[in-house]
Amino acid sequence: MTRVVVIGGGVIGLASAIALLRDGHAVTIIEPGVPGGEQSASYGNGTLLNPSSVVPMSAPGLWKKVPGYLADPLGPLTIRWSYLPWLLPWLRRFAAAGSTAAKVEATGRALRPLVADCPALHRKLAEDAGVGDLIVRQGVLFAFPNRAAFEAEALSWRVRRENGTRWLELDADELRQREPALDRRYTFGILIEENGQCRDPGAYTAALARYASDLGAAIEQTGATGFRIEAGRLRAVKTRGGEIACDTAVIAAGAWSKALAREAGDRVPLESERGYHVVIENPGIAPRYPVMPSDGKMACTMTPAGLRLAGQVELAGLEAAPNWRRAEALLQFARKVFPGLPPDTPPETVKLWMGHRPSTPDGLPCLGLASGCSDVVHAFGHGHVGLAAAVTSGAVVADLVAGRAPAFDLAPYSAARFR
């Protein structure tokens, strides 16, 4: 029986731990906070489970937009001036990763196996954990002011289509019938029926932690600080509370994985794409679908706590204080998307949140064996697809620890690609 330490109690780490436990390994999960707590990106994401999430953030012509990103602190993507000197190496790689259509298409092909069938995979896992009702598959609606706005994103939609996504095109009348809450300035829609939603990612993550514990996992509320590697073999994970002896470790610490990966032999250009969300309790509207407005670059989804408005990419590092005006900008734009939202929302009914998406410049995670020690497995850097890709990533981790061949080629996710 292999002793495995999983570093990180977010959805990636927990899915990995459950897959390892089912293989018969002894598993210890390390998480500084409470699994499912607000410290985790797994708590605050946009809730979507989209097999269509195969389009990276970087696209041709990105460099032309950088001045705008610096000038607009409340735009969908912004860069803090003070962080720019540290960010430049990552930003160069980011722009290069999407500099041609061929590169975007290659990234799309690599993302597809990670997110394929994710609503069904999560539904099965949620049922096993006793919370099957949290996973629903009602489709996701993309709303555009007009068809021209859709056609302006031709590359993105071609990449989706080439990777198996099918959709329904809705004219103004059909869009209104499908989603009456939408503002009438949206006259064209795309409905992807295979897409789904995790209604409460924080509760789901907490349920997975309980399930892992029921299967025999030990959960230690501490942080990992490094590894003890002797003669090329892992002997222990170092933590704030001392060492935990083990045979294998899984790095699934999200945006905090960079230093651990370096100790295992890989220098990974990992950054936090800081995301924000707003939850409006009793919003007065109930959209039938999760809605992605093309001009807002945000996810608008109903959750048990209320209407969640999630989005924004802020490149400012792990330590900078939140800019809550960015969350408030989501709320103001949502009123343009849904005219039924009240113009003045009582502050006590609005909850703001900020978290850290762990993002590599090419939009692909690090998933595979570490370069410096084959007893360490990377499972981090999933960016915008962490929730969607969790079950498949966990299965890959279990395959690697067991010495089985994964179901698909892991070469695109190797940390060695950044050498």
Side-chain angles (χ1 to χ4, degrees), residues 211-271:
Y211 181 47
S213 181
D214 290 343
L215 292 175
I219 300 179
E220 300 286 342
Q221 196 166 338
T222 187
T225 59
F227 304 105
R228 177 159 62 88
I229 299 173
E230 299 173 352
R233 301 308 304 268
L234 179 68
R235 303 303 180 190
V237 171
K238 298 177 182 178
T239 79
R240 296 169 190 163
E243 289 191 348
I244 299 177
C246 62
D247 307 299
T248 302
V250 180
I251 303 176
W256 288 268
S257 298
K258 185 175 182 177
L260 294 167
R262 182 178 300 173
E263 281 217 16
D266 291 299
R267 291 182 174 270
V268 177
L270 187 71
E271 281 292 337

Side-chain angles (χ1 to χ4, degrees), residues 298 300 307 309 329-339 341:
M298 59 197 288
C300 309
L307 179 65
L309 314 167
L330 290 171
L331 177 57
Q332 295 304 320
F333 195 88
R335 292 193 175 104
K336 299 178 182 179
V337 178
F338 302 110
L341 282 175

Side-chain angles (χ1 to χ4, degrees), residues 275-335:
Y276 291 78
H277 86 211
V278 179
V279 175
I280 308 170
E281 182 183 346
N282 299 319
I285 61 170
R288 297 174 179 175
Y289 295 94
V291 175
M292 300 279 290
S294 68
D295 50 352
K297 306 302 181 186
M298 59 197 288
C300 309
T301 62
M302 287 303 299
T303 73
L307 179 65
R308 178 178 292 194
L309 314 167
Q312 303 273 1
V313 170
E314 180 185 40
L315 297 169
L318 288 168
E319 303 301 329
N323 178 2
W324 294 119
R325 291 185 303 156
R326 293 184 62 77
E328 291 163 1
L330 290 171
L331 177 57
Q332 295 304 320
F333 195 88
R335 292 193 175 104

